[in-house]
Amino acid sequence: MAFPAEFHDIAKRVNNWGRWGEADETGTLNLITNEVVRAAARTVHSGRRVPLALPLQQDGVQTGMIPGRVNPLRTMVMLNHEMFGPGTVATSDDIVTMGLQAATHWDALTHVSHSGRIYNGRPAGTVTAHGGAAFSGIEKIATLLSRGVLLDVARARGTDRLPGDHAVTPDDLAAAEELARTTVRAGDIVLVRTGQMRVCLAGDKHAYAFPSPGLSVRTPEWFHARDVAAVANDTLTFEIFPPEIEDLWLAVHALDLVEMGMPQGQNWNLEALSEACAEEGRYEFLLDATPQPFVGGVGSPVAPVAVL
Amino acid sequence: MAFPAEFHDIAKRVNNWGRWGEADETGTLNLITNEVVRAAARTVHSGRRVPLALPLQQDGVQTGMIPGRVNPLRTMVMLNHEMFGPGTVATSDDIVTMGLQAATHWDALTHVSHSGRIYNGRPAGTVTAHGGAAFSGIEKIATLLSRGVLLDVARARGTDRLPGDHAVTPDDLAAAEELARTTVRAGDIVLVRTGQMRVCLAGDKHAYAFPSPGLSVRTPEWFHARDVAAVANDTLTFEIFPPEIEDLWLAVHALDLVEMGMPQGQNWNLEALSEACAEEGRYEFLLDATPQPFVGGVGSPVAPVAVL
Amino acid sequence: MAFPAEFHDIAKRVNNWGRWGEADETGTLNLITNEVVRAAARTVHSGRRVPLALPLQQDGVQTGMIPGRVNPLRTMVMLNHEMFGPGTVATSDDIVTMGLQAATHWDALTHVSHSGRIYNGRPAGTVTAHGGAAFSGIEKIATLLSRGVLLDVARARGTDRLPGDHAVTPDDLAAAEELARTTVRAGDIVLVRTGQMRVCLAGDKHAYAFPSPGLSVRTPEWFHARDVAAVANDTLTFEIFPPEIEDLWLAVHALDLVEMGMPQGQNWNLEALSEACAEEGRYEFLLDATPQPFVGGVGSPVAPVAVL
Amino acid sequence: MAFPAEFHDIAKRVNNWGRWGEADETGTLNLITNEVVRAAARTVHSGRRVPLALPLQQDGVQTGMIPGRVNPLRTMVMLNHEMFGPGTVATSDDIVTMGLQAATHWDALTHVSHSGRIYNGRPAGTVTAHGGAAFSGIEKIATLLSRGVLLDVARARGTDRLPGDHAVTPDDLAAAEELARTTVRAGDIVLVRTGQMRVCLAGDKHAYAFPSPGLSVRTPEWFHARDVAAVANDTLTFEIFPPEIEDLWLAVHALDLVEMGMPQGQNWNLEALSEACAEEGRYEFLLDATPQPFVGGVGSPVAPVAVL
C-alpha cells in the first residue's frame, strides 16, 4: 500500500538523515551534550528518586496480541547450592527468557523500517537474523541520561486517564508544558503521561493494550521543532491505537524512529512520577534511562530513574 | 564443613541484621538518603558520562566454568515484518535468554546463603524454584543511585592490573582513597578497580576468570566502618579466587551479602572510567546503577552510568 | 490437608515400590519385555502410520493457567547465512524455549510427589533446582515402545466428546476394550480417548483446559490389575478436572506416578487415530513414544507414532 | 564464489525437484510407503530396543564453534510446589532453551540453501525470521519410521574409528553393506557409523567437532541410486570436515538437502547399535526417528529407537 501524501510531507519536515553525518547511528541522542547533562544535574532539588519500570515477571503486560513478545520467564539454575561441599556458602543463580520489547523498554531506531529503509537512509536489510542490527543497534546508545520533563497530559486535561480514542496532539503537549512551568528544549527526554497505565495496574491487560490513547501523527513535528532527544509514554503502542488515519499503522513509529532518528519508550509507569511532580510543583528532573547494551538489539528493557 | 573462627569474628562485627528493622529487605541501600543523592548530584562537573557495562552478546565473559550462567543469546522474532500488509511499516522484535549473573550485574542479597540463612536472618528456604526470592529479591531495589567513588587500586599501585593472586586489602583501599582525594562516606557506591578486566578485553576469558585478584576477606569491615551502600569491581568472582584462606570459598560473598546486607557488583568495565577520572583529577561522580526489577530475582544485569 | 482414607486405600493396592528392586527408577516400564515388543511388531498389518503429537508452536495449548508452562517459542539464530563467504552454501539454524510439559508430553515419574515422596519411596527432595530429578528423570526412560491399544471411550459411548464433568471409570474402559476387540495386557501402552481434543482443535483452548473430562481416581486399579506400562490421553490434565472428590486435586497423578510408578501422557491428539482404528477395525498397533532424554527432566515433549 | 563444475554435475544427477510434484515438501520421505513399513516391522526378531540419542544437557556436544547452536539448558519452573495448598499433591515442571540442531537431530530440508534455492526449487527467502520455513519445515515430516540399516564403515574397515581426514566413499558404503548382509533399498533409513562419536563419549568435544571424518561428496549419488529415504551418522558435521575439495564447504548438505530432498541426521550415537548388530549378526531393524513437529523449524532433536 502507499502512504498518504500527509505522511510524506511530515516525513520530509522531520527528517534528520545526514544531520549528524553519514556514519551516525544514534540520531537525536547527539543532542545530549555535556552542557545539557550539567544542567540536568542542577535540576536535582529534593533528591527523591522515582523508578519508572514495571516489574519484570511472567504475569507481565503482554497478552499474546503481539506474537513472540513474551513476558519475562525467570527460573533458578542454582538454588542454595553448596557447590564447594556440604556446609559451605551456598549460591543461587537465575536465568531469564524475555522479549526485549515486552515490558518497560526503548525501541532502538531499528525497531521499524519503512519503504526498505531505516534511520539515516540505510537499507532495512542491514538488520539480519544472524547479527541483528548492524547499524543503530541498541548497544550503540552508550548512555541515555539527560533532563527529563514530564508532560502530564492527563493531569493537564483534568482527568486520571485519557479515553482510548484520544490522540495526543501538539496542543495537548503545549498545555502540559504550561502545567510543567518549563520549556521543553534541546536534548530533553520527554515523558508523556496519558494515564493509560492505570488500566494495566488495575489488572486489565487487554483493555490496556487496545484501544489505547497515544501520540498523534502530528506530534513528531512538535518534538522535532524543540530538538527533543527521546520520548517515552505509558502505553503499549506509544501512538494512538488503532491509528487516527485509517490503515496508517505505526506512522508515528516510522516518523520518530526512521525519519527523525529519535528513540521511543513504551510501557513506562508514570503514575508515581505524576504524583511526585505534582507534590513538588516541578516537572523537570534528572533522568537516567540507559538501555542494556544488547549487541545488535532492536530494543531493550530499561529501568529508568527520575531524580527530583 | 565448619567455617574458621576468623570468619565468625568478622561476621559478628559486620552484621547488620535488625539494624533497619525486622522487615527490612534492602540492607545498606537504606543509607542512600535524599541528602546523599542531592550531594551526589552536586559532584557533576563536566557532564561527561561513562558507561560501565560490558556488551551483552553470545560471545560474553562466561566460559561454562559456572554451570548454567549462560551468555546472552538474542534472536529475532520478527525481522522487518510488514504485519499490516505489503508496503506498510515493518517491525523487528527480539528476545533474549541469559543468565542474570552472566555479564555486568548486581548480586541480590539472596544470591548466597550460609548456615541456612540469608540477610536479616531469614531462612534460605524462602528462596524457591517457583517464586525465586520471596524476600530481598532484586526487584526490592527500587533505585540504586548515589555518589560513586572509584578506588583505583591498580593505578594507586602503579600497575595496569593486579596479579592473579593479589587479595585487595584495607590498605589497598586506603591508598586508592588517597589517590582519589576524597573520603568514602555513608551511602557511597564504591567501585574497586583491579585492572583484571583488561585480560577479558584482550580476549582471554579463561585467564580473566581464574585465577583472579579480588577483595580480601578483610575488606567487609572496611566497608562496614564507612557505611558504604554497595561495592562493585572488575572481576568475575568479586573476591580473590581461589580464596586466600584455603577452602574458605565465597567468604566475602557471605559477609557482604548475608551478614552486612550489602549488594555486590561484578564484571564492571572500569577501564574507561579509570582514564576519565585520571584525566579530570576527580574520582567521585554521580552513579546510577539501578538493576532491572526481576521479581524474585537473585541478581540482575545492569548498565551503570557514571556522570563526572 | 489430609488425604481421605479412600486415597490411602487405593494407594496401598496399586503401590509398586520395591517391586523391581530398591534401585529401580522406571516402574511399570519394566513390563515392556523383548517378548512384548516382538508381539507389538506383529500387530503391524497395513503399515499405516498415525502421528499423535500436536504442532509445536507459540500458538499452543497453554493459556497461562499453569504458570511457567510456556508454549514453544522458536526463533532463527541463522537465516540463509553464508558463513563461509558470499555465494557459498547458506545455513539456517533455530532455537526453542518451551515448557517440557507444554504440548504433547510424558510426565516423568518425578512430575509429582506427595507426602514428601516420589516413586519407589525416595525423598521428594532428590529433585532439585540445580540438577532436576536425580532419580526417575525422564532420561532414565531409554525407549518407550510397545503395543499400543486405543480405548476409544468417546466412540464406545457413541459420542464425539465426553462432557466436561465426565470421569472416565473402569466401566468406561471395559466398554472401550470391548469395542477394541482385544484385551489389555501386561506391557501395553493404553491411549484413552475422551474427544476433548476436539475442543482444542476447534480453537477454544480455555474450554479445552477446564472443565475437562479425564480419568477417574478409580482407574489406577484397573491399569494396575492389567499391568499396563503407560497411559496417555487427549486432555490437558489427564484426570478429570476439577476433581471428582472435592479438594482432592491431582489424586490420579499421585496414584499413577508416585504409587504405581506408571508414566502418564497428556495432550495427545487421538482424533486421526480414532478414525484410522475405526476404519481398519483394529485398535491395537505398534506404538513408539520415546521421550527426549532431558537429563534430570520431569517430563518431555514426545512425537508418538502409531503403526497400524 | 562459484561452485566447481563437479558439484553441478553431481547436483544434476541427484536432483529430485518435481519428482513428487511441485507441491511436494518432504522429498525422499515419499519413498517410505505402507509396504516399506510392513516389511520394516517384519525385521523385528529379538525385540531388543537400542536408543540412539545423546543425553540432552548443558554439558552437551556443542563447543561454541557454531554460534547460537546452544546446548540444552533445562531449569525448574516449579519444584515440588503444593499449588493447591499445604499437604496437597506437589508438582514439578521444567522448561528448556536449546538449539534444535544442538544434539542428536534431523536437518530439515530447509536447513541449507544454495544459489538462493531450497528443495524443489523454491526461493530461499521462503524461510523467514517471523515464521521459519514456510515450506519443508520439520513439522511437514509427520512420521519418520522405516527399515533402518546400519552401515558400520568403521567395523568393516576393522577399526574403532575412522581417522579425522577420512571421507566415507561409495566403496566404504558398499563394504559396510556387505558386512551387513543386506542390500540397501528404496525407503530405507541408512545409518553410517564412522566411530567418531567415541571421541565425544571419551570427553573431547573439540576433537569430536573438528577435524572429523564424514560423508564424501560422492556419496549422494550412491544414496540416490538406491532411493534411500534418509541418512544419519555419528558426527557433528555429517560430511567430512574440513571438506575434501578445498573451499567447497557443506557440499554434501547442499546435494542431499537441496538437490535430492533427503533429510540428514547428525550426532547420532551408534556405538551401542554397532555392538548389538554385531552380536545379533543382523544390521537391519525397525527404526523410528520421528522428529518433533516444530512449526517452521529447520531441524529438530530426535530420540531414535532401533528395534532389532
Side-chain angles (χ1 to χ4, degrees):
Chain A
M1 61 157 271
F3 295 107
E6 185 181 357
F7 175 85
H8 292 294
D9 291 346
I10 302 174
K12 194 173 298 177
R13 288 195 291 269
V14 302
N15 186 281
N16 278 329
W17 296 4
R19 178 173 171 188
W20 295 283
E22 285 195 3
D24 180 60
E25 302 188 39
T26 58
T28 51
L29 298 184
N30 286 284
L31 297 161
I32 306 179
T33 62
N34 285 359
E35 188 177 348
V36 162
V37 171
R38 287 197 300 271
R42 287 194 299 270
T43 64
V44 174
H45 279 69
S46 67
R48 179 178 185 167
R49 290 133 285 155
V50 184
L52 309 179
L54 292 171
L56 295 172
Q57 55 191 347
Q58 181 64 12
D59 184 20
V61 300
Q62 299 301 320
T63 58
M65 184 180 88
I66 306 172
R69 198 174 274 194
V70 290
N71 285 314
L73 180 57
R74 192 196 53 75
T75 53
M76 306 302 303
V77 286
M78 284 200 217
L79 183 54
N80 291 312
H81 180 60
E82 298 174 338
M83 73 167 87
F84 297 105
T88 58
V89 175
T91 61
S92 298
D93 261 34
D94 40 15
I95 61 165
V96 75
T97 297
M98 66 180 290
L100 295 184
Q101 294 79 19
T104 304
H105 72 277
W106 283 116
D107 289 343
L109 300 185
T110 34
H111 172 55
V112 306
S113 62
H114 82 85
S115 313
R117 297 285 150 182
I118 57 167
Y119 168 68
N120 226 2
R122 294 190 176 91
T126 56
V127 187
T128 65
H130 180 240
F135 300 94
S136 295
I138 198 78
E139 85 282 13
K140 300 291 169 59
I141 302 177
T143 66
L144 214 174
L145 178 150
S146 189
R147 184 176 81 137
V149 174
L150 175 65
L151 295 185
D152 195 338
V153 175
R155 189 178 295 269
R157 293 182 65 95
T159 181
D160 269 354
R161 169 194 164 219
L162 303 175
D165 62 352
H166 186 102
V168 172
T169 63
D171 282 351
D172 287 330
L173 298 177
E177 198 182 23
E178 194 168 342
L179 172 70
R181 279 181 290 164
T182 185
T183 304
V184 171
R185 61 183 186 233
D188 279 349
I189 305 169
V190 172
L191 310 182
V192 180
R193 178 170 172 268
T194 68
Q196 178 73 357
M197 182 57 72
R198 299 174 74 91
V199 183
C200 181
L201 298 175
D204 192 341
K205 300 177 199 180
H206 288 277
Y208 169 66
F210 181 88
S212 175
L215 296 177
S216 162
V217 76
R218 288 177 289 140
T219 57
E221 285 181 271
W222 196 89
F223 296 124
H224 187 255
R226 279 149 190 80
D227 265 345
V228 163
V231 178
N233 77 359
D234 55 352
T235 72
L236 187 79
T237 48
F238 191 76
E239 58 193 275
I240 181 168
F241 198 76
E244 53 201 317
I245 301 172
E246 200 181 339
D247 286 335
L248 190 57
W249 301 91
L250 301 179
V252 178
H253 277 67
L255 293 167
D256 284 352
L257 297 169
V258 179
E259 299 291 336
M260 214 192 312
M262 184 185 75
Q264 293 181 169
Q266 281 125 293
N267 297 318
W268 293 39
N269 183 354
L270 305 176
E271 293 309 296
L273 182 63
S274 172
E275 289 305 306
C277 288
E279 281 171 29
E280 301 209 2
R282 294 183 304 119
Y283 288 79
E284 64 166 3
F285 36 82
L286 175 70
L287 178 67
D288 180 32
T290 297
Q292 302 288 314
F294 288 102
V295 175
V298 298
S300 171
V302 64
V305 180
V307 190
L308 275 75
Chain B
M1 59 159 271
F3 295 108
E6 186 181 356
F7 176 86
H8 291 294
D9 290 347
I10 302 173
K12 195 173 298 177
R13 288 196 291 271
V14 303
N15 186 280
N16 278 330
W17 297 3
R19 179 173 171 187
W20 295 282
E22 287 195 1
D24 181 58
E25 302 187 40
T26 58
T28 52
L29 298 184
N30 286 285
L31 297 161
I32 307 178
T33 61
N34 284 359
E35 188 177 348
V36 163
V37 171
R38 288 195 300 270
R42 288 193 298 269
T43 64
V44 174
H45 278 71
S46 67
R48 180 176 183 168
R49 290 132 285 156
V50 184
L52 308 179
L54 293 171
L56 295 172
Q57 55 190 346
Q58 181 64 11
D59 184 20
V61 300
Q62 300 300 321
T63 59
M65 184 179 87
I66 306 172
R69 198 175 275 192
V70 291
N71 285 313
L73 180 57
R74 192 196 53 74
T75 52
M76 306 302 303
V77 286
M78 286 199 216
L79 183 54
N80 291 312
H81 180 60
E82 297 174 339
M83 72 168 89
F84 297 104
T88 58
V89 175
T91 61
S92 298
D93 261 33
D94 38 16
I95 61 165
V96 76
T97 297
M98 67 179 292
L100 296 184
Q101 293 79 20
T104 304
H105 71 278
W106 283 117
D107 288 343
L109 299 185
T110 34
H111 172 54
V112 306
S113 61
H114 82 84
S115 312
R117 295 286 150 181
I118 57 167
Y119 168 68
N120 227 1
R122 294 190 177 93
T126 55
V127 186
T128 65
H130 180 240
F135 300 94
S136 294
I138 198 76
E139 85 282 13
K140 299 293 168 60
I141 302 176
T143 66
L144 214 175
L145 177 149
S146 190
R147 184 176 81 136
V149 175
L150 176 65
L151 295 185
D152 195 338
V153 175
R155 188 179 295 269
R157 292 182 66 95
T159 182
D160 269 355
R161 169 196 165 219
L162 302 177
D165 62 352
H166 186 101
V168 172
T169 63
D171 282 353
D172 287 332
L173 298 178
E177 198 182 23
E178 196 168 340
L179 171 71
R181 279 182 290 165
T182 184
T183 303
V184 170
R185 62 184 186 232
D188 278 351
I189 304 169
V190 172
L191 309 183
V192 179
R193 179 171 171 267
T194 68
Q196 178 72 358
M197 183 56 73
R198 299 174 75 90
V199 183
C200 181
L201 298 176
D204 193 341
K205 298 177 200 179
H206 288 277
Y208 169 67
F210 180 88
S212 174
L215 296 177
S216 162
V217 76
R218 288 177 289 141
T219 57
E221 285 181 270
W222 196 89
F223 296 124
H224 187 253
R226 278 149 191 80
D227 265 346
V228 162
V231 178
N233 78 0
D234 55 351
T235 71
L236 187 78
T237 49
F238 191 75
E239 58 193 277
I240 180 167
F241 198 76
E244 53 200 320
I245 300 172
E246 200 180 336
D247 285 336
L248 190 57
W249 301 91
L250 301 180
V252 178
H253 278 68
L255 293 167
D256 285 352
L257 298 169
V258 179
E259 299 291 337
M260 214 192 312
M262 184 185 76
Q264 294 181 169
Q266 280 126 293
N267 297 318
W268 292 40
N269 182 355
L270 305 176
E271 294 308 297
L273 182 63
S274 172
E275 290 305 307
C277 288
E279 282 171 27
E280 302 209 1
R282 294 183 304 118
Y283 288 79
E284 63 166 4
F285 37 82
L286 175 71
L287 178 68
D288 180 32
T290 297
Q292 301 288 314
F294 287 103
V295 175
V298 297
S300 171
V302 64
V305 180
V307 191
L308 273 76
Chain C
M1 61 157 270
F3 295 108
E6 185 181 356
F7 175 86
H8 292 293
D9 290 346
I10 302 173
K12 194 173 299 177
R13 288 195 291 269
V14 302
N15 186 281
N16 278 329
W17 297 4
R19 178 173 172 189
W20 295 282
E22 286 196 1
D24 181 59
E25 302 187 39
T26 58
T28 52
L29 298 184
N30 287 284
L31 297 161
I32 307 179
T33 62
N34 285 358
E35 189 177 348
V36 163
V37 171
R38 288 195 300 270
R42 288 193 299 269
T43 63
V44 174
H45 278 70
S46 67
R48 179 176 183 168
R49 292 132 284 154
V50 184
L52 309 179
L54 293 171
L56 294 172
Q57 54 190 347
Q58 181 64 11
D59 184 20
V61 299
Q62 300 300 320
T63 59
M65 183 180 88
I66 306 172
R69 198 174 276 193
V70 289
N71 285 314
L73 180 58
R74 193 196 53 75
T75 52
M76 306 301 304
V77 287
M78 286 199 216
L79 184 53
N80 291 313
H81 180 60
E82 297 175 339
M83 71 167 89
F84 298 104
T88 58
V89 175
T91 62
S92 297
D93 261 33
D94 39 16
I95 62 165
V96 76
T97 297
M98 67 179 290
L100 295 184
Q101 294 79 20
T104 304
H105 72 278
W106 283 116
D107 288 343
L109 300 185
T110 34
H111 172 55
V112 306
S113 62
H114 82 86
S115 312
R117 297 285 150 182
I118 57 167
Y119 168 68
N120 227 1
R122 295 191 176 92
T126 55
V127 186
T128 65
H130 179 240
F135 301 94
S136 294
I138 198 77
E139 85 281 14
K140 300 291 169 59
I141 302 176
T143 65
L144 214 175
L145 176 149
S146 190
R147 185 176 80 136
V149 175
L150 175 65
L151 295 185
D152 195 337
V153 175
R155 188 178 295 269
R157 293 182 65 95
T159 182
D160 269 354
R161 168 195 166 219
L162 302 177
D165 62 352
H166 185 101
V168 173
T169 63
D171 282 352
D172 288 331
L173 299 177
E177 198 182 24
E178 194 168 342
L179 171 70
R181 278 182 289 163
T182 184
T183 304
V184 171
R185 61 185 186 233
D188 278 350
I189 305 169
V190 172
L191 309 183
V192 180
R193 179 171 172 267
T194 68
Q196 178 72 358
M197 183 57 72
R198 299 175 74 90
V199 183
C200 181
L201 298 175
D204 192 340
K205 299 177 200 180
H206 288 277
Y208 169 66
F210 180 88
S212 173
L215 296 178
S216 162
V217 76
R218 288 178 287 140
T219 56
E221 285 181 90
W222 197 89
F223 296 124
H224 187 254
R226 279 148 190 81
D227 265 345
V228 163
V231 178
N233 78 359
D234 55 352
T235 72
L236 187 78
T237 49
F238 191 76
E239 57 194 277
I240 180 166
F241 198 75
E244 52 201 319
I245 300 173
E246 200 180 340
D247 286 333
L248 190 58
W249 300 91
L250 300 179
V252 178
H253 278 67
L255 294 166
D256 284 352
L257 298 170
V258 179
E259 299 291 336
M260 215 191 313
M262 185 186 76
Q264 293 181 171
Q266 280 125 294
N267 297 319
W268 292 39
N269 183 355
L270 304 175
E271 293 308 297
L273 182 63
S274 172
E275 289 305 307
C277 288
E279 281 171 29
E280 302 209 1
R282 294 183 304 118
Y283 288 79
E284 62 166 3
F285 35 82
L286 175 70
L287 178 67
D288 180 32
T290 297
Q292 301 288 315
F294 287 103
V295 175
V298 297
S300 171
V302 64
V305 180
V307 191
L308 274 75
Chain D
M1 60 159 270
F3 294 108
E6 185 181 357
F7 175 86
H8 291 294
D9 290 346
I10 302 174
K12 194 172 299 177
R13 288 195 291 268
V14 303
N15 185 282
N16 278 329
W17 297 3
R19 178 171 171 189
W20 295 282
E22 287 196 2
D24 181 58
E25 302 187 39
T26 58
T28 52
L29 299 184
N30 286 285
L31 297 161
I32 306 178
T33 61
N34 284 359
E35 189 177 348
V36 163
V37 170
R38 287 196 300 270
R42 287 193 299 268
T43 64
V44 174
H45 279 70
S46 67
R48 180 177 184 167
R49 290 131 285 155
V50 185
L52 309 179
L54 292 171
L56 295 171
Q57 54 191 346
Q58 180 64 12
D59 184 21
V61 300
Q62 300 300 321
T63 59
M65 184 179 87
I66 306 172
R69 198 175 276 193
V70 290
N71 285 314
L73 180 57
R74 190 197 53 75
T75 53
M76 306 302 303
V77 287
M78 286 200 216
L79 183 54
N80 291 312
H81 180 60
E82 297 174 339
M83 74 168 86
F84 297 105
T88 59
V89 175
T91 60
S92 298
D93 260 34
D94 39 16
I95 61 165
V96 75
T97 297
M98 67 180 290
L100 295 184
Q101 293 79 19
T104 304
H105 72 277
W106 283 117
D107 289 343
L109 300 185
T110 34
H111 172 55
V112 306
S113 62
H114 82 84
S115 312
R117 295 286 150 182
I118 57 167
Y119 168 68
N120 227 0
R122 295 190 176 92
T126 55
V127 186
T128 64
H130 180 241
F135 300 93
S136 295
I138 198 75
E139 86 281 13
K140 300 292 169 60
I141 302 176
T143 66
L144 213 174
L145 178 150
S146 190
R147 184 176 79 137
V149 175
L150 175 65
L151 295 185
D152 195 337
V153 175
R155 189 178 294 270
R157 293 182 66 94
T159 182
D160 269 355
R161 169 194 165 220
L162 303 176
D165 62 352
H166 186 101
V168 173
T169 63
D171 282 352
D172 288 331
L173 299 177
E177 197 182 25
E178 195 167 341
L179 171 70
R181 279 181 290 165
T182 185
T183 303
V184 171
R185 61 184 185 232
D188 279 348
I189 305 169
V190 173
L191 310 183
V192 180
R193 179 171 171 266
T194 69
Q196 177 73 357
M197 183 56 72
R198 298 175 75 90
V199 183
C200 182
L201 297 176
D204 192 341
K205 300 177 200 179
H206 288 277
Y208 169 66
F210 180 88
S212 175
L215 296 177
S216 162
V217 76
R218 288 176 289 139
T219 57
E221 286 180 270
W222 196 89
F223 296 124
H224 187 254
R226 278 149 190 81
D227 265 345
V228 162
V231 178
N233 78 359
D234 55 352
T235 72
L236 187 78
T237 49
F238 191 76
E239 57 193 275
I240 181 168
F241 197 76
E244 52 200 319
I245 300 171
E246 202 181 337
D247 286 334
L248 189 59
W249 301 91
L250 300 179
V252 179
H253 277 69
L255 294 167
D256 285 351
L257 298 169
V258 179
E259 299 290 337
M260 214 191 313
M262 183 185 76
Q264 293 182 168
Q266 280 125 293
N267 299 317
W268 292 39
N269 183 355
L270 305 176
E271 294 308 298
L273 183 63
S274 172
E275 290 304 307
C277 289
E279 281 171 29
E280 302 209 1
R282 293 183 304 119
Y283 287 79
E284 64 165 2
F285 36 82
L286 175 70
L287 178 67
D288 180 32
T290 297
Q292 302 288 314
F294 288 103
V295 175
V298 298
S300 171
V302 64
V305 180
V307 190
L308 275 75

